[in-house]
Structures are given as structure tokens and as C-alpha cells.
Amino acid sequence: MASSIRVRAVENGGVTSLKALVRHPMDSGFVKDSAGNVIPAHFIQVLTINHNGKDVFVAQWGPAVSKDPFLECRFEGAKKGDKLTISWVDNKGESDSTTATIG
């Protein structure tokens, strides 16, 4: 199965810029379906970006984040060719991760 995370990371002048799109329903638990039944909460709780064994970004999300969230961040200390690992865990225990090479 393909990863739910699409990533692009580019280093320029010592600063790495990362953009990620995460496919996830991010259901709040407050919305009803067409039959009037409440759609259970299903959202990402923690998203982590790791470079060389060190977390460079950690987000603690909740039900207020929109469906298919987009994330952009910048950090220093990486070089072109280095690997980044982006991972998430949701409130149902599901998870995904992917690795990207900095260009």
C-alpha cells in the first residue's frame, strides 16, 4: 500500500524547507453522516519529523485540524542527500511513515 504522506524537502543556504501532505479523514466526532449517525472521531494525534535520529518537528494535533492536512516547516543542520522520516499516529492506533531524501 502506498504511503499516505507525500513529502518534498529542499536544502538551500543551510536551511531545509519541508512540505508534506498527509491524506487522513481527520474526523472530529461532531459531524453526522447522511443517515443522521455521528461519524466517530478519527484524527492524527502526533506527527513527527526526524533527521539523523533526532526529532526536528513534533506536532500534537486534534480534531480541529482539517482533512488531508498540509504542513510546511524549516530547520537547520541538514545537508542535501540526508534522509528524513515523517510519521504519524492517530487516535485509533493507526500509523504511517515515509522516508524522504533532501534535495
Side-chain angles (χ1 to χ4, degrees), residues 67-88:
K67 177 181 178 179
D68 299 336
F70 173 80
L71 169 75
E72 181 174 2
C73 69
R74 292 176 180 82
F75 65 95
E76 296 178 346
K79 303 182 302 281
K80 290 182 181 180
D82 285 356
K83 302 282 187 194
L84 295 171
T85 301
I86 300 90
S87 59
W88 59 259

Side-chain angles (χ1 to χ4, degrees), residues 7-66:
V7 181
R8 180 165 186 215
V10 178
E11 187 273 334
N12 188 6
V15 177
T16 299
S17 175
L18 177 136
K19 296 179 182 181
L21 179 65
V22 183
R23 288 191 330 220
H24 194 280
M26 300 300 286
D27 292 317
S28 67
F30 297 109
V31 177
K32 295 181 180 179
D33 63 16
S34 59
N37 301 315
V38 175
I39 299 171
H42 186 199
F43 55 88
I44 294 172
Q45 290 183 309
V46 179
L47 180 133
T48 305
I49 300 171
N50 186 287
H51 171 252
N52 287 339
K54 180 180 176 185
D55 291 343
V56 294
F57 184 89
V58 178
Q60 295 181 347
W61 287 347
V65 176
S66 68

